[in-house]
């Protein structure tokens, strides 16, 4: 037990360092584009749920760009453009897209010369070789190929969204994230949106990885350990210490993931994912109560022990179910490549098969003992913290 306590102290001490380190991108904003389009660079823009993908051919002077806006509707317009005079709206050479009255995504170019632009179609200072738009699965995408001079390879960019009605583009919001949708872009080095974009992308990935590994894998594994290992007398009290180790480790790492989520929310004004956030807050509170309930655990012969067991089991299984739901909510937000979601589904299926097999086998063992009259021996106290072999 002292070894476990030492390990957990070291784990808590290193959590802050882990969050700030450059953890490799595992659940980044990967995307499969239609027509097998591929891009050399991808950046998560810091606001408005937008992602910029591009390939820059310096020799040819061509820039192949895709802009994605996720979680949107067919009544929302989207623009992205370059502004050599600075990260502001006026002076932006923009590409705009909206869903027209026929239900088809339409793209065009517009030059924003005033603070109250009409968003009418107009020519740009650079040549637009290809321009198209697509709306599907609540995602608007703009595809274009530009011919730009080398002086445009490092410049300012602006992106924006607003409401469209029968092909008329209304004014965008004048508060929150809509006033922060500008930054720098360097098509040569691959940097976009300033340091905040890169940092936010890393925190999103760290948030997803930590929560999936802790809440989504370690915690169910700890529950399986407690439910099935305790049936075997030879595993007593090892199962209890393994259960505590799994659950407290899951909680420690999960808290780190939860903190990164809170930080993401504070750094993204105007962007909310209410179901994911609300479930996450509720899970953090329930998990905190569940872990600290260990300190209030009555002795096995206490008259309230049965009620504690009911509480511990019901809250524990409820938390695991909600955790799995929230992880899939997170997948919908991050939109990683499909194989990451399939991997997690495979892990859940594996844990489900293991749990089902152990459920059948342990019932067989218990019924066999009962038939032989040996089950009375399973109620002996194991001598470690007053934990009985048949109690959690």
């Amino acid at each position: 037990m002292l070894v476990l306590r030492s390990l957990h102290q070291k784990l808590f001490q290193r959590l802050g360092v882990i969050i700030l380190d450059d953890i490799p991108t595992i659940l980044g904003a990967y995307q499969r584009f239609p027509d097998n389009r591929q891009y050399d660079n991808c950046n998560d823009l810091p606001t408005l749920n937008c992602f910029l993908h591009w390939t820059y051919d310096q020799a040819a002077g061509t820039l192949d760009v895709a802009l994605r806006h996720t979680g949107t509707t067919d009544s929302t317009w989207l623009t992205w453009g370059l502004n050599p005079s600075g990260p502001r709206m006026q002076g932006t050479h923009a590409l705009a897209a909206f869903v027209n009255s026929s239900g088809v995504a339409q793209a065009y170019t517009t030059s924003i010369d005033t603070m109250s632009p009409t968003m009418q179609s107009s020519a740009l200072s650079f040549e637009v070789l290809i321009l198209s738009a697509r709306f599907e699965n609540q995602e608007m995408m703009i595809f274009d190929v530009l011919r730009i001079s080398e002086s445009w390879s490092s410049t300012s960019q602006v992106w924006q969204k607003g409401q469209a009605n029968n092909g008329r583009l209304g004014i965008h919001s004048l508060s929150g994230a809509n006033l922060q949708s500008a930054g720098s872009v360097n098509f040569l080095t691959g940097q976009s949106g300033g340091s905040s974009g890169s940092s936010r992308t890393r925190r999103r990935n760290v948030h997803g990885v930590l929560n999936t590994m802790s809440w989504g894998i370690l915690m169910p594994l700890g529950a399986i350990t407690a439910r099935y290992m305790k049936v075997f007398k030879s595993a007593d009290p090892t199962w209890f210490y393994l259960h505590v180790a799994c659950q407290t480790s899951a909680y420690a790492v999960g808290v780190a993931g939860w903190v990164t989520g809170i930080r993401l929310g504070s750094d993204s004004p105007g962007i909310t994912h209410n179901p994911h956030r609300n479930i996450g807050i509720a899970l953090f509170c329930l998990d905190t109560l569940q872990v600290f309930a260990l300190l209030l655990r009555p002795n096995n012969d206490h008259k309230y022990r049965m009620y504690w067991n009911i509480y511990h089991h019901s809250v524990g299984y409820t938390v695991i179910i909600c955790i799995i739901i929230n992880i899939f909510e997170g997948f919908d937000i991050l939109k990683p490549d499909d194989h990451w979601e399939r991997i997690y589904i495979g892990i859940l299926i594996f844990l489900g098969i293991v749990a089902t097999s152990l459920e059948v086998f342990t019932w067989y063992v218990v019924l066999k003992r009962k038939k032989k009259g040996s089950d009375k021996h399973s109620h002996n106290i194991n001598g470690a913290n007053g934990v009985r072999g048949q109690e959690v």
Side-chain angles (χ1 to χ4, degrees):
M1 195 64 181
L2 291 175
V3 174
L4 287 174
R5 187 178 304 165
S6 176
L7 288 173
H8 283 94
Q9 287 175 347
K10 292 180 179 179
L11 179 61
F12 275 108
Q13 291 171 356
R14 292 186 58 83
L15 282 176
V17 178
I18 291 173
I19 297 173
L20 299 177
D21 282 346
D22 290 332
I23 296 178
T25 300
I26 297 179
L27 295 175
Y30 301 118
Q31 172 74 12
R32 291 179 180 175
F33 292 99
D35 304 324
N36 294 319
R37 291 183 176 97
Q38 294 183 343
Y39 299 92
D40 293 339
N41 299 278
C42 169
N43 281 120
D44 175 3
L45 299 179
T47 62
L48 300 181
N49 279 6
C50 288
F51 304 86
L52 183 68
H53 308 253
W54 77 85
T55 299
Y56 179 49
D57 187 337
Q58 187 177 9
T62 59
L63 177 66
D64 190 357
V65 174
L67 179 72
R68 297 169 42 228
H69 173 44
T70 63
T72 186
T73 67
D74 58 4
S75 61
T76 300
W77 57 261
L78 177 67
T79 62
W80 174 82
L82 302 176
N83 192 340
S85 61
R88 54 182 177 269
M89 180 177 68
Q90 190 171 359
T92 298
H93 304 262
L95 311 168
F98 66 98
V99 177
N100 60 30
S101 57
S102 300
V104 178
Q106 178 180 335
Y108 67 96
T109 61
T110 180
S111 182
I112 302 176
D113 300 322
T114 69
M115 293 301 294
S116 300
T118 61
M119 302 294 289
Q120 297 297 312
S121 177
S122 58
L124 304 182
S125 297
F126 45 77
E127 185 179 2
V128 180
L129 304 177
I130 298 174
L131 179 60
S132 64
R134 182 183 293 248
F135 177 81
E136 58 184 17
N137 299 325
Q138 295 186 312
E139 182 172 85
M140 177 70 82
M141 292 177 280
I142 300 177
F143 302 100
D144 58 90
V145 178
L146 314 175
R147 190 183 301 280
I148 60 175
S149 64
E150 193 166 343
S151 62
W152 289 75
S153 62
S154 178
T155 184
S156 297
Q157 64 173 339
V158 178
W159 62 99
Q160 195 55 262
K161 71 169 186 176
Q163 293 297 304
N165 184 16
N166 293 326
R168 296 175 61 87
L169 277 59
I171 188 172
H172 63 77
S173 173
L174 299 178
S175 63
N178 291 84
L179 296 184
Q180 303 174 26
S181 54
S184 62
V185 60
N186 191 317
F187 299 118
L188 290 171
T189 64
Q191 296 300 312
S192 171
S195 60
S196 61
S198 175
S199 175
R200 182 169 173 263
T201 300
R202 185 173 66 252
R203 287 199 299 273
R204 282 174 58 140
N205 298 334
V206 171
H207 171 71
V209 172
L210 291 179
N211 286 334
T212 301
M213 294 299 295
S214 57
W215 309 122
I217 297 177
L218 268 178
M219 192 158 284
L221 189 61
I224 290 174
T225 300
R227 179 167 178 81
Y228 302 113
M229 282 188 65
K230 64 184 179 184
V231 173
F232 304 98
K233 299 174 184 178
S234 60
D236 190 17
T238 304
W239 71 264
F240 175 75
Y241 297 134
L242 287 175
H243 175 64
V244 172
C246 280
Q247 304 307 75
T248 53
S249 296
Y251 179 76
V253 178
V255 167
W258 187 77
V259 169
T260 60
I262 296 297
R263 176 70 183 276
L264 281 169
S266 64
D267 288 348
S268 307
I271 300 177
T272 57
H273 303 286
N274 288 325
H276 184 70
R277 181 191 62 185
N278 294 339
I279 294 174
I281 293 173
L283 285 173
F284 173 75
C285 296
L286 288 174
D287 281 323
T288 300
L289 290 174
Q290 189 78 329
V291 170
F292 284 95
L294 181 67
L295 303 177
L296 303 175
R297 178 171 50 95
N299 292 329
N300 287 286
D301 54 357
H302 196 283
K303 63 179 181 179
Y304 292 124
R305 180 57 185 258
M306 180 184 70
Y307 302 108
W308 186 91
N309 285 337
I310 293 173
Y311 154 80
H312 187 65
H313 294 159
S314 58
V315 172
Y317 290 128
T318 300
V319 162
I320 289 174
I321 293 171
C322 292
I323 283 168
I324 294 172
I325 293 173
N326 214 30
I327 285 175
F328 283 104
E329 286 283 341
F331 279 132
D332 289 339
I333 295 169
L334 279 175
K335 295 188 180 298
D337 194 77
D338 290 343
H339 72 272
W340 292 113
E341 189 169 353
R342 288 196 295 266
I343 288 173
Y344 183 61
I345 292 174
I347 292 172
L348 291 180
I349 292 173
F350 172 75
L351 291 176
I353 292 173
V354 170
T356 302
S357 302
L358 289 174
E359 185 76 23
V360 173
F361 181 70
T362 51
W363 269 108
Y364 168 76
V365 171
V366 170
L367 292 175
K368 187 177 179 180
R369 286 178 184 169
K370 189 173 183 179
K371 185 177 180 180
K372 292 181 178 180
S374 61
D375 63 316
K376 60 184 179 180
H377 301 296
S378 63
H379 294 284
N380 292 330
I381 296 177
N382 61 29
N385 298 326
V387 182
R388 288 196 176 102
Q390 296 297 321
E391 301 285 353
V392 174

